Amino acid sequence: MTILSLAPAAMTVGYCTPLSREPITTTQAEVASRMLKALADPVRLRLMSMVLSHEGGEACAMCDLTEGFDLAVSTLSHHLKILHDAGLVERDKRGVWVYYKARPEAMDALRTLFSAGPSI
């Protein structure tokens, strides 16, 4: 079971148990909090949903993620950067297009964080 932990230059995977099983460390709480804060914004939550539900689990920023928002492209880019910086999505630039995909480790970490521990 994983929760992400920040290394100075890159994201690495650390280990923890669900919240219901034992307390997480300060570092794990900081990383989980960063992911949850990123998702707490309605625009970013919708963007994350759009990426996850897009065919193949990958979406083009300009082609697929601008529909349904009454926001400037720069504002949407800012929201996508926050999701990326929180470790929730990875991005892949292909020519002039940028594609976003959910990080499986981040999705596993969030699932693990809130999964039920053993019953007492």
Side-chain angles (χ1 to χ4, degrees):
M1 296 183 197
T2 63
I3 184 119
L4 299 178
S5 60
L6 287 178
M11 297 295 287
T12 59
V13 177
Y15 295 92
C16 84
T17 57
L19 291 173
S20 61
R21 191 170 304 158
E22 67 184 51
I24 61 176
T25 67
T26 300
T27 301
Q28 291 167 332
E30 288 170 359
V31 174
S33 174
R34 190 172 181 192
M35 289 191 293
L36 295 170
K37 284 178 186 177
L39 291 172
D41 180 90
V43 171
R44 292 191 290 270
L45 188 58
R46 284 188 61 213
L47 286 169
M48 195 72 211
S49 175
M50 292 169 79
V51 168
L52 285 164
S53 64
H54 198 270
E55 185 177 334
E58 181 179 72
C60 172
M62 292 301 298
C63 312
D64 305 314
L65 300 177
T66 56
E67 296 177 26
F69 291 101
D70 189 22
L71 298 170
V73 171
S74 61
T75 301
L76 286 174
S77 293
H78 171 73
H79 285 293
L80 288 165
K81 180 182 183 325
I82 290 171
L83 291 172
H84 178 265
D85 290 349
L88 292 165
V89 295
E90 49 193 39
R91 57 184 173 212
D92 180 28
K93 186 165 182 172
R94 301 176 197 160
V96 297
W97 308 112
V98 180
Y99 289 80
Y100 288 85
K101 185 174 189 172
R103 290 189 69 224
E105 301 89 358
M107 299 303 99
D108 289 344
L110 291 172
R111 260 190 302 279
T112 297
L113 190 64
F114 294 108
S115 65
S119 56
I120 299 174

